[in-house]
Amino acid sequence: YGGMGLDFSYNIAVAEELGNIRCGGIPMAIGVQAGMATPALTRFGSDELKKQFLVPTIAGDFVACLGISEAGAGSDVANIKTTAVRKGNEYVINGGKMWTTSGCQADWMCLLANTSEGPPHRNKSLICLPMNLPGIHIAKKIDKLGMRSSDTAQIFFEDVRVPSKNLIGEEGKGFTYQMLQFQEERLWGVATVLTPLETIIQETIDYTRQRKVFDQSVLHNQAVHFRLAELATEVELLRSLLYRTIALYVEGNDVTKFASMAKLKAGRLAREVTDSCLQFWGGMGFTSEVLVSRFYR
């Protein structure tokens, strides 16, 4: 969006629209490509790197993935162990990455690795890593409870050699670059969940209105009515928090607290709305043919 002179609110508009897809994995994969694996390259990468990796990724010819999490370091980014040691005009990479979305099919990875021995917040760098290099082993596609259409990889690196010009921006700035985009990632996640939650509530209203139990529609029961009204209100409040956070962010404010609050609430509501609504579908809620059971999973 930077190249078109648009602010981050346009990303959020796209993320909300993607919520109309009746599937969680596709919006997530698009989010990784557009808002997680590429922003650092866009902001800090050399023209040569952008031409080689960013242009084909924007065109949709390349799939990008993000190599941050490891078996022992997910949310704790400072604790990663993967190393990239400078040898002449190359980096030699050893270690591994876990929970890598799109990792089985990616053409390149935005890799975070330790490039020196220094303090954990100043010894990391981001590197554009082509995924077809010798020494890259995609160990397995992880079998998951949900997001099943999206491949999540465990990957190992064994003396992988990559040109040192593939470094994004400055050496040692990788942790800082990565932290800069976490707010945007959280807000994207919130935006993609809004429409599905509304859809599930609406489909539950429609179903309970026409489903009869003891000669009256299920919706006619106050307990059902009240609960759906409450859930609809919660979703509306989440939307308001998201929009307030975006407005502050676009004006240049630090929204770490509000973005984290919104992400917390979105995660809670994703479970609460699907669980509550599923109950009102009776036996149908336990089948795979209704959307609510898919989003519950």
Side-chain angles (χ1 to χ4, degrees):
Y1 63 94
M4 294 190 283
L6 307 177
D7 64 42
F8 184 67
S9 66
Y10 288 81
N11 280 42
I12 293 298
V14 170
E16 270 195 61
E17 283 302 316
L18 291 174
N20 287 300
I21 300 170
R22 295 168 78 88
C23 164
I26 294 170
M28 183 174 75
I30 295 170
V32 167
Q33 178 104 340
M36 294 170 80
T38 49
L41 174 58
T42 307
R43 285 178 184 159
F44 306 109
S46 65
D47 289 342
E48 189 185 349
L49 276 187
K50 286 182 191 172
K51 196 172 168 190
Q52 188 182 347
F53 293 99
L54 189 60
V55 172
T57 303
I58 291 171
D61 296 326
F62 276 9
V63 172
C65 69
L66 184 63
I68 306 289
S69 296
E70 299 181 3
S75 306
D76 180 10
V77 176
N79 200 34
I80 65 159
K81 301 287 186 269
T82 299
T83 57
V85 179
R86 188 80 179 254
K87 299 229 172 113
N89 60 354
E90 289 182 317
Y91 285 107
V92 180
I93 300 162
N94 281 284
K97 293 295 173 180
M98 187 71 166
W99 314 120
T100 306
T101 299
S102 306
C104 299
Q105 57 173 312
D107 296 285
W108 70 281
M109 171 188 282
C110 179
L111 171 77
L112 186 69
N114 297 316
T115 44
S116 72
E117 291 289 327
H121 301 100
R122 292 204 292 277
N123 72 338
K124 294 169 176 49
S125 304
L126 288 176
I127 297 167
C128 288
L129 180 68
M131 290 295 284
N132 58 358
L133 296 175
I136 297 178
H137 306 288
I138 296 166
K140 65 172 177 180
K141 178 181 166 187
I142 297 161
D143 192 25
K144 308 187 301 299
L145 171 67
M147 301 294 196
R148 294 181 66 83
S149 65
S150 170
D151 56 294
T152 307
Q154 179 177 22
I155 300 167
F156 293 109
F157 307 116
E158 197 179 347
D159 291 331
V160 179
R161 293 179 170 270
V162 64
S164 53
K165 66 176 168 56
N166 283 26
L167 175 75
I168 296 173
E170 291 177 47
E171 193 172 271
K173 288 275 182 74
F175 183 84
T176 309
Y177 293 163
Q178 193 48 45
M179 286 296 144
L180 279 175
Q181 68 192 53
F182 272 159
Q183 306 324 330
E184 296 193 358
E185 291 178 21
R186 289 181 177 120
L187 294 168
W188 173 281
V190 174
T192 55
V193 88
L194 283 174
T195 311
L197 293 180
E198 284 194 322
T199 303
I200 285 164
I201 291 169
Q202 189 53 53
E203 289 196 2
T204 303
I205 290 168
D206 296 342
Y207 181 73
T208 52
R209 181 177 282 126
Q210 49 103 357
R211 181 175 166 226
K212 295 277 194 292
V213 175
F214 302 118
D215 290 332
Q216 67 170 7
S217 77
V218 171
L219 186 63
H220 200 66
N221 292 283
Q222 268 192 337
V224 178
H225 229 102
F226 286 176
R227 184 65 180 135
L228 291 172
E230 188 181 9
L231 292 172
T233 304
E234 291 280 322
V235 173
E236 210 44 62
L237 287 168
L238 177 63
R239 184 190 301 281
S240 294
L241 176 58
L242 173 68
Y243 288 176
R244 180 179 182 211
T245 309
I246 296 298
L248 287 166
Y249 183 68
V250 167
E251 286 169 9
N253 296 289
D254 178 8
V255 294
T256 305
K257 185 172 81 171
F258 285 149
S260 300
M261 284 177 170
K263 183 195 170 199
L264 170 70
K265 194 62 179 170
R268 288 264 169 86
L269 276 184
R271 301 197 305 272
E272 197 179 341
V273 170
T274 51
D275 181 37
S276 293
C277 286
L278 185 128
Q279 311 309 322
F280 301 142
W281 287 72
M284 280 299 289
F286 205 64
T287 67
S288 294
E289 60 196 72
V290 295
L291 184 70
V292 67
S293 76
R294 181 176 190 171
F295 274 112
Y296 176 81
R297 172 168 62 70

